[in-house]
Amino acid sequence: MFLEAFGTDAFVLVAALLLISGVLVAKFSNRLGLPALVLFILVGMLIGSDGLGFIYFDNAETAQLIGILALVIILFEGGLQTKWSTVRSVAAPSLLLATLGVLLTSAIVGLAAMLIFDITWFEAFLFGAIVGSTDAAAVFATLKERNIKAKMGATLEAESGTNDPMAVFLTLGFIELILADDMSIFMLIPNFFWQMGVGLGLGFAIGKIASYSINRINLESSGLYPIFSVAFALLTYSVTAFIDGSGFLAVYVAALVIGNSELTYRYSIFQFNEGFAWMAQILMFIILGLLAFPGQLFTLDVMAAGLFLSFILMFVARPVAVFLSTLGMKYTLKEKTFISWAGLRGAVPIVLATFPVVAGLENSQVFFNVVFFIVLTSALVQGSTISPVAKKLKLTGPKKDTPHHSIELISIGKANAEMVQFKTNEDTAIVGRKLHEIPFPRKATISAIVRDETLITPYGETEIQAGDFLYILVSRKEKDALKKLIEKKKWNTNKRKEKAK
């Protein structure tokens, strides 16, 4: 093998080439109409032993460890970017999809697996549990740049961020049931409530501690704050897992708390974690691609089983789970159809498929190959058609307001001040007013305004318009007062008249 022949230097070279190819793949994946995860996996398969033969890798334990660490980083970044104000309205259906939905999906796919594999009931439901959850990495990456309706995006992201714990619980639970002859399925029920309760509680508590620590501890370098945040993500997972709680759930909850708090060096933390999450995705999917052997994967038996179970998953199990989990909820038929179609499978099922391999279960390698094929099918068929399906169902929203301006947002730790960003809209009270008319806090200064991709130097007569990006330097003590001022909404004159009546 190439690495064995040339040693450490070759390893460093391959790592560099993989990261460069991963970045380029991410750049062109949308243009090709394919999710980036598919291309990352294909890169791994290409350089593996059944491909060009650069790297021989068949260590399921190492792949599992890398997958878990990467998922922690990806879940943490996804939670940071999630606005609680958006998720709050879809919390109930998302949690039902993440629990009842996963259970129903697992059961239906498990029954289908019984039809084509010579396996026991527990083995069948183990297979169903492995593919039962949608994947946070796939969903976050696929929806990030697409203008899907806010309600749909929030539902799918909240579901994918919280349903991994259910899939992990079911997978590990059925492995225990298969290995232990004297264990009853009913023994899993109290364990479920313990794992989820501990995950929620510790996630919230550590999220609060992390937010307080980031704001109160004055570090010597601004570059240490993003590292500090990642350390809390790893701490949250490990502490929760040590006491048999759901580490993935705890990480996502902690990230929600941190991301919706007022933070020092907020933008540095967010930008670092976004880049780190991309690196984790690239590494994870390439490693998982290396773990798959095309010679075993693309056989007639595996492809036939994979296509059949993919069909059941996409067109039977997922729709049934979605429609039953959202009964009585305020979702239209089109919205339920879209949620059913956008239930992408990705890294989580593949990582979970390594657990039976590590445990040495019979049929574990067959399970891994079929699960891998299902993930590829889901990513290729569903992932590449999310935007067209959303457009067909008229569930597209406005273009996402992600600023790409070359203004560096900073927090000046020693000066106890921050540069904050705010985007105005038609309902913002300061829109239509000149700067000298707005009662800004004494220690707040508008440094720049970006309007229609043009930088405007502000002065007293500058009038604020809807859609402006304001960059304001403010002392931390007056940050709350500034926030109340710039987020204040215009009084609706129609409501005023109705109230008068």
Side-chain angles (χ1 to χ4, degrees):
M1 293 297 168
F2 178 76
L3 292 183
E4 293 176 356
F6 295 96
T8 304
D9 294 340
F11 180 84
V12 175
L13 174 62
V14 170
L17 292 176
L18 288 179
L19 287 175
I20 291 171
S21 63
V23 171
L24 294 176
V25 161
K27 168 70 177 175
F28 294 107
S29 61
N30 280 340
R31 296 184 183 180
L32 295 173
L34 293 172
L37 71 91
V38 175
L39 300 179
F40 295 152
I41 288 174
L42 291 179
V43 168
M45 295 171 72
L46 179 65
I47 64 175
S49 56
D50 273 7
L52 299 176
F54 287 160
I55 303 172
Y56 181 85
F57 181 79
D58 64 351
N59 193 321
E61 290 184 6
T62 301
Q64 188 182 107
L65 174 61
I66 293 172
I68 289 173
L69 288 173
L71 287 172
V72 168
I73 300 302
I74 293 163
L75 278 171
F76 186 70
E77 191 270 337
L80 286 179
Q81 300 284 354
T82 302
K83 294 181 179 179
W84 175 244
S85 57
T86 306
V87 172
R88 183 169 49 196
S89 60
V90 297
S94 296
L95 288 175
L96 279 172
L97 285 168
T99 50
L100 178 62
V102 172
L103 191 61
L104 290 171
T105 303
S106 302
I108 295 171
V109 174
L111 290 172
M114 284 283 293
L115 297 176
I116 58 174
F117 297 130
D118 183 20
I119 53 178
T120 66
W121 283 102
F122 283 162
E123 288 176 318
F125 289 130
L126 169 62
F127 183 90
I130 290 171
V131 296
S133 71
T134 59
D135 181 62
V139 172
F140 291 158
T142 303
L143 297 183
K144 186 168 288 185
E145 299 299 327
R146 288 169 169 79
N147 57 330
I148 305 298
K149 195 175 178 181
K151 180 182 177 183
M152 296 294 93
T155 302
L156 291 166
E157 289 184 2
E159 178 202 4
S160 65
T162 54
N163 70 3
D164 292 348
M166 185 67 175
V168 173
F169 165 77
L170 290 174
T171 299
L172 294 178
F174 281 113
I175 289 175
E176 288 182 24
L177 288 170
I178 293 168
L179 293 175
D181 297 331
D182 58 344
M183 187 174 176
S184 168
I185 193 170
F186 296 105
M187 294 173 66
L188 298 179
I189 297 174
N191 192 24
F192 168 79
F193 287 104
W194 169 261
Q195 287 195 23
M196 301 307 155
V198 170
L200 284 170
L202 279 181
F204 182 82
I206 297 177
K208 286 291 185 182
I209 293 170
S211 302
Y212 181 85
S213 301
I214 290 169
N215 288 330
R216 295 296 179 182
I217 298 177
N218 193 9
L219 300 174
E220 292 301 316
S221 170
S222 61
L224 292 173
Y225 286 92
I227 298 173
F228 201 32
S229 68
V230 172
F232 274 108
L234 297 174
L235 178 71
T236 302
Y237 176 85
S238 58
V239 169
T240 308
F242 271 131
I243 57 174
D244 292 328
S246 175
F248 288 134
L249 180 59
V251 167
Y252 188 71
V253 171
L256 271 177
V257 173
I258 296 169
N260 287 276
S261 302
E262 290 295 331
L263 291 179
T264 301
Y265 293 96
R266 180 182 186 85
Y267 296 100
S268 296
I269 290 171
F270 276 43
Q271 288 167 1
F272 174 87
N273 277 283
E274 183 177 8
F276 198 22
W278 269 111
M279 190 172 75
Q281 278 193 68
I282 293 170
L283 177 62
M284 175 177 62
F285 285 118
I286 289 177
I287 290 294
L288 294 177
L290 283 171
L291 191 61
F293 288 75
Q296 299 175 14
L297 186 64
F298 297 110
T299 62
L300 185 60
D301 289 344
V302 170
M303 289 193 294
L307 287 173
F308 172 73
L309 291 170
S310 294
F311 180 86
I312 296 296
L313 179 61
M314 289 188 285
F315 295 101
V316 181
R318 174 67 178 176
V320 168
V322 169
F323 277 76
L324 289 179
S325 299
T326 56
L327 277 177
M329 305 287 181
K330 295 181 179 179
Y331 286 88
T332 65
L333 178 61
K334 289 183 177 180
E335 289 173 339
K336 291 180 181 180
T337 302
F338 179 75
I339 294 172
S340 300
W341 187 247
L344 297 180
R345 268 59 190 173
V348 172
I350 300 175
V351 172
L352 290 181
T354 64
F355 282 87
V357 176
V358 173
L361 295 186
E362 189 180 358
N363 300 313
S364 59
Q365 192 58 50
V366 174
F367 281 12
F368 180 86
N369 290 332
V370 175
V371 167
F372 203 104
F373 192 87
I374 290 172
V375 168
L376 285 178
T377 305
S378 173
L380 286 169
V381 176
Q382 294 173 288
S384 61
T385 56
I386 280 183
S387 290
V389 169
K391 190 177 295 185
K392 186 72 174 178
L393 296 173
K394 298 181 179 179
L395 294 175
T396 53
K399 189 176 181 181
K400 293 188 177 181
D401 296 319
T402 303
H404 298 288
H405 314 128
S406 59
I407 296 177
E408 184 69 25
L409 299 177
I410 60 173
S411 289
I412 309 171
K414 302 298 181 185
N416 199 31
E418 289 186 44
M419 181 77 79
V420 299
Q421 171 197 291
F422 177 74
K423 183 179 185 295
T424 63
N425 56 53
E426 294 179 355
D427 296 327
T428 307
I430 62 175
V431 168
R433 300 175 68 179
K434 297 179 179 179
L435 290 182
H436 70 81
E437 299 173 341
I438 302 172
F440 287 109
R442 186 170 59 87
K443 294 184 179 180
T445 303
I446 292 192
S447 301
I449 299 174
V450 176
R451 179 181 299 157
D452 297 327
E453 302 298 327
T454 301
L455 178 65
I456 296 173
T457 303
Y459 65 101
E461 293 297 317
T462 302
E463 183 178 297
I464 303 296
Q465 296 182 13
D468 284 353
F469 284 94
L470 310 180
Y471 295 88
I472 308 171
L473 184 64
V474 61
S475 70
R476 290 182 194 160
K477 290 183 179 179
E478 295 188 338
K479 187 176 176 181
D480 289 340
L482 173 67
K483 186 177 178 181
K484 288 180 182 177
L485 172 68
I486 60 180
E487 291 184 352
K488 186 177 180 181
K489 301 295 183 182
K490 289 182 179 179
W491 182 259
N492 191 315
T493 54
N494 292 331
K495 289 184 177 179
R496 184 188 297 172
K497 290 177 182 178
E498 290 175 5
K499 191 173 182 180
K501 291 180 182 179

